[in-house]
Amino acid sequence: MSTSSTPLTGHPRSDLVVVGAGIVGLAHAVDAHDRGLSVTVVERSSHAVGASVRNFGHGCVTAQTGENLRRGRAARERWIALAERTGLWLARSGAVAVARDAAEMAVLAELAEQRGPGEVDLLTSAQVEERVPGVDPATTGGALLPQDIRVDPRNAVHRIAEWLAAQPGVRMVYDTAVTGVGDGVVHTARGDLACERAVVCAGHEVDALFPEAADAAGLHQCALQMLLVDSPRDRTFAPAVLTGTSLVRYPAFAGTESGAALRARFRQRRPELLAAGVNLMFTQRPDGALLIGDTHTYAPTVEPFLGEDHAELLLDEAARLLGTGPLRVRQRWQGVYAASTATDLLVAAPSPRVRAVTVTSGIGMTIALGTAPDILDDLLA
């Protein structure tokens, strides 16, 4: 069925209404459609503009642990299948973690021993330079993470939404705010939608509909700063590129004994990076521009103001990593996603036929497609 933002009076009952057209909502819509259900997706804006388009487009599978590793592996396969079905751009070139001293290399070696070849493959400095041309001469080695994938975050969710809109039994409803959700009905500013079941995927704004669930999860907000820059001398980077700050942030690295030692080293030598929550990494868009980031600030409600000190810190560190002079900035922006003191994934059942689902760890692009089948299995049971 076609997209719509017209009044909803008379719209037929759907098997499932999904609130939110970001990657978490679309993951549920795709899985429901594949099960043969009729689906209506309701999005308050004319297109998704939240965390799902303000990220690296990096399927950061290898760096996860536990259930998120399982979800990430499942999501990887679904991303690949979706790329074939929808025509969205996807790269299977993995990620490279760059080590610029022995302490960083020790973290990669420890994880490589745990995971084995094909998951974490250690690289010499020359092999890193082959994959990351012009990399900092101080690089001592690194690791290839071949299971990681990349999509273009500016276009991926929009391509999925366009594909869904063309499928029988699917309706995309834009420019429509949801005001309440209960068993059998989703209330919107344009009228009520009757449904058998509903999944609310509203990101950090889930508290507007289900404040009790948000409070129980200790939900708050994380603001990150990112930049789009020209690739120096038009270099091409096939993999996503991670650095030592990534090794103290992502759980598979940080959870090693060497990861704890590395964090202590950063605390002593580069405390400003930890204070700004820096995860220095980048991916390259299909047009050649580099998505560079990011910093992290946490608060119940984050301020909208972008401090130039954080941007300068990112740009200086990125220029050193790339072995280049000042980088030309095309765009700057703030991303906001849900964070939690209690869980990486908020799943609430405010009523028997309703689920609220929010990724609370900044890895929605990595795990959403692997999470939705579990949620729907439970909801449809």
Side-chain angles (χ1 to χ4, degrees):
M1 300 177 70
S2 62
T3 62
S4 173
S5 60
T6 57
L8 301 178
T9 303
H11 178 66
R13 188 181 192 89
S14 299
D15 293 325
L16 181 73
V17 169
V18 176
V19 178
I23 188 57
V24 179
L26 295 181
H28 287 84
V30 169
D31 192 70
H33 169 68
D34 288 346
R35 296 173 189 240
L37 303 181
S38 59
V39 182
T40 298
V41 179
V42 187
E43 166 60 41
R44 71 171 187 175
S45 302
S46 62
H47 57 284
V49 295
S52 296
V53 300
R54 305 186 198 185
N55 61 78
F56 295 102
H58 177 209
C60 188
V61 178
T62 311
Q64 308 309 318
T65 58
E67 278 296 286
N68 283 341
L69 179 59
R70 179 189 66 81
R71 294 171 183 133
R73 286 169 170 164
R76 178 184 187 272
E77 300 309 311
R78 291 185 171 89
W79 270 116
I80 293 169
L82 260 184
E84 295 175 353
R85 297 167 78 181
T86 68
L88 68 85
W89 180 87
L90 180 141
R92 300 171 66 174
S93 46
V96 168
V98 177
R100 289 183 281 178
D101 59 38
E104 293 175 0
M105 197 66 206
V107 176
L108 298 176
E110 188 172 342
L111 186 61
E113 184 176 355
Q114 293 175 7
R115 295 284 179 87
E119 287 274 343
V120 181
D121 299 327
L122 297 181
L123 302 174
T124 65
S125 58
Q127 290 171 323
V128 171
E129 208 281 334
E130 289 175 2
R131 294 166 173 82
V132 189
V135 72
D136 185 352
T139 296
T140 59
L144 175 66
L145 316 177
Q147 297 304 308
D148 285 17
I149 57 173
R150 289 193 300 123
V151 297
D152 182 357
R154 302 289 180 94
N155 293 315
V157 291
H158 303 320
R159 187 70 196 95
I160 296 170
E162 290 168 359
W163 176 82
L164 273 169
Q167 305 308 304
V170 178
R171 186 182 186 190
M172 306 294 293
V173 178
Y174 294 102
D175 297 311
T176 301
V178 171
T179 58
V181 181
D183 278 341
V185 63
V186 172
H187 305 288
T188 86
R190 298 182 187 274
D192 291 348
L193 285 167
C195 59
E196 294 299 323
R197 294 170 178 83
V199 178
V200 176
C201 306
H204 67 277
E205 295 180 336
V206 66
D207 57 354
L209 292 172
F210 303 116
E212 296 87 357
D215 291 346
L219 196 74
H220 51 286
Q221 296 177 13
C222 175
L224 54 87
Q225 288 198 38
M226 295 183 67
L227 307 105
L228 187 73
V229 305
D230 288 338
S231 179
R233 294 183 286 278
D234 296 324
R235 297 179 197 164
T236 298
F237 305 92
V241 177
L242 313 180
T243 67
T245 53
S246 310
L247 306 186
V248 297
R249 183 166 189 85
Y250 291 121
F253 303 116
T256 63
E257 291 185 10
S258 301
L262 180 61
R263 172 168 282 276
R265 192 170 185 272
F266 269 108
R267 190 177 297 114
Q268 180 182 25
R269 299 188 179 188
R270 299 298 308 275
E272 74 279 12
L273 297 180
L274 295 182
V278 170
N279 171 26
L280 178 65
M281 63 168 289
F282 70 86
T283 59
Q284 189 166 41
R285 292 194 63 218
D287 65 2
L290 303 183
L291 292 159
I292 289 181
D294 52 2
T295 62
H296 299 78
T297 302
Y298 300 89
T301 301
V302 296
E303 296 295 333
F305 313 111
L306 298 177
E308 193 63 15
D309 55 339
H310 280 193
E312 289 175 354
L313 185 59
L314 285 173
L315 287 169
D316 290 346
E317 292 298 311
R320 186 165 71 89
L321 172 67
L322 293 166
T324 186
L327 298 166
R328 179 181 177 274
V329 178
R330 292 190 191 180
Q331 295 175 341
R332 305 166 188 257
W333 67 95
Q334 180 186 65
V336 181
Y337 65 77
S340 169
T341 55
T343 181
D344 288 339
L345 180 69
L346 183 160
V347 181
S351 59
R353 290 188 285 157
V354 176
R355 297 293 181 272
V357 184
T358 296
V359 178
T360 57
S361 50
I363 54 172
M365 296 293 275
T366 299
I367 69 169
L369 289 169
T371 301
D374 296 340
I375 303 299
L376 290 183
D377 283 347
D378 171 64
L379 183 59
L380 297 169

